[in-house]
Amino acid sequence: MNYFVGIDIGSTAIKAALVNEERQLVGLHVADSGSLFHKNAKTALQTLLERYSLQREQVRYLIATGYGRKLFKEADDSISEITANAIGAHEAGKAYGGVRTIINIGGQDSKAIQIDDQGTVINFAMNDKCAAGTGRFLDVAAANLDIDLEALGEYHFNGRAAPLSINSTCTVFAESEIIGLLANGHGKEEIVAGIHYSIAKRTLRLAKRVGIEDRVYFDGGPALNKGLVAALQDELQRELVVPAHPQTTTAFGAAILACNEWLADQAIGEQVT
Ligand code: ADP
């Protein structure tokens, strides 16, 4: 069997996806990006291959994507994260009846992408200038509130009062605002819900720039946070498609493309001989 890998070297996390020749997902691995992108990406790839007892030679084609993709010299090719995300969401979205709008919130940016029924990007909008509205905002808020990142979702649903409004448009000012709210005796639950709504409102504005078409696929690490999903559903006034592994959609898309490119090369080779 031939295998293909997509590796998404993000600002915060490295995601690796392994697919087989039938474009079926075989395995996934997520690791911290850290400061040594190249070294950590190599280790992530090795870990994934070891888990499935595969040799590097069995991976016929490897495509890198994401923020640090140019640093990963072992890749056969690289691709923008917008294209990889579109391919991954299109493929994974088939199980939900197809998706046309993608909202991705990453560690340091957020994007809205509109795709056609073949998964080709029609239009996209990106916020990479400001950490508010990204995973970084959630990481900082969780640290300020002394809550595990994974627990934010639970806090969201356990408030006894309405979500508080977080007005700061900058992560640094939001930190002081959160500390101020705690000092005034507000519950962590209402603050967490307020943070989720603040991100959701920003994301809605971004998504409106590309136009929102049914169905909306939500991915990126923060899509693991059920509280944020609920807030975004409220703001968008529609149900979101959240896949089983939202953080790895872009890596999956790069792996699918790696498989497609290799199969296309094989077909050309057969025609020539
Ligand atoms: P990037 O591609 O920019 O590295 P990711 O899509 O990997 O970003 O998302 C990273 C973000 O995902 C982190 O900053 C964090 O806020 C969020 N995240 C990661 N794991 C979890 C989790 N288990 N629960 C909630 N949020 C998470």
Side-chain angles (χ1 to χ4, degrees):
M1 179 64 96
N2 298 305
Y3 294 91
F4 306 89
V5 167
I7 187 154
D8 174 12
I9 306 172
S11 63
T12 309
I14 293 166
K15 284 77 62 177
L18 178 73
V19 303
N20 64 20
E21 213 170 313
E22 265 88 55
R23 298 182 184 81
Q24 288 157 338
L25 181 66
V26 176
L28 295 166
H29 181 64
V30 180
D32 286 344
S33 295
S35 57
L36 301 169
F37 280 20
H38 176 254
K39 180 174 169 283
N40 294 342
K42 261 179 95 165
T43 308
L45 174 62
Q46 263 166 14
T47 308
L48 181 69
L49 298 184
E50 275 166 22
R51 194 179 300 152
Y52 296 93
S53 308
L54 293 176
Q55 301 300 314
R56 175 64 182 87
E57 303 72 56
Q58 289 172 275
V59 176
R60 302 293 177 196
Y61 212 71
L62 186 154
I63 294 189
T65 185
Y67 191 71
R69 66 182 181 273
K70 301 280 184 216
L71 298 171
F72 194 61
K73 304 294 177 212
E74 282 75 5
D76 297 302
D77 202 355
S78 69
I79 182 186
S80 90
E81 55 266 43
I82 308 277
T83 309
N85 200 344
I87 296 169
H90 171 69
E91 195 65 30
K94 286 177 184 168
Y96 303 89
V99 295
R100 299 294 289 273
T101 308
I102 305 161
I103 291 176
N104 171 282
I105 303 186
Q108 287 186 14
D109 61 21
S110 53
K111 310 176 199 85
I113 308 169
Q114 209 182 88
I115 57 173
D116 67 12
D117 57 5
Q118 303 298 309
T120 306
V121 176
I122 300 173
N123 191 10
F124 74 91
M126 187 161 178
N127 157 38
D128 58 358
K129 300 276 181 295
C130 167
T134 71
R136 177 87 191 121
F137 191 42
L138 289 163
D139 301 345
V140 167
N144 285 147
L145 292 165
D146 204 12
I147 295 174
D148 285 344
L149 189 64
E150 293 75 18
L152 285 175
E154 237 172 85
Y155 273 79
H156 179 94
F157 298 106
N158 289 335
R160 271 173 283 153
L164 290 165
S165 136
I166 307 289
N167 299 310
S168 303
T169 50
C170 166
T171 309
V172 178
F173 293 127
E175 267 192 276
S176 333
E177 193 176 348
I178 291 167
I179 293 163
L181 290 170
L182 282 174
N184 283 324
H186 289 290
K188 290 184 182 181
E189 293 82 357
E190 291 81 37
I191 300 174
V192 167
I195 291 163
H196 290 156
Y197 276 100
S198 144
I199 296 176
K201 284 183 173 51
R202 280 177 166 268
T203 309
L204 174 65
R205 286 200 292 276
L206 183 76
K208 278 185 172 167
R209 280 168 47 196
V210 299
I212 303 164
E213 276 203 44
D214 269 332
R215 292 174 195 88
V216 181
Y217 184 96
F218 180 31
D219 67 16
L224 289 162
N225 174 339
K226 296 218 172 356
L228 181 62
V229 172
L232 194 52
Q233 291 191 150
D234 267 3
E235 290 300 322
L236 291 171
Q237 295 189 336
R238 68 180 69 208
E239 283 242 337
L240 293 167
V241 170
V242 183
H245 307 288
Q247 195 172 8
T248 49
T249 299
T250 301
F252 175 57
I256 293 288
L257 186 71
C259 177
N260 290 346
E261 287 196 358
W262 188 81
L263 289 174
D265 278 354
Q266 297 299 302
I268 293 170
E270 275 168 25
Q271 278 172 12
V272 171
T273 51

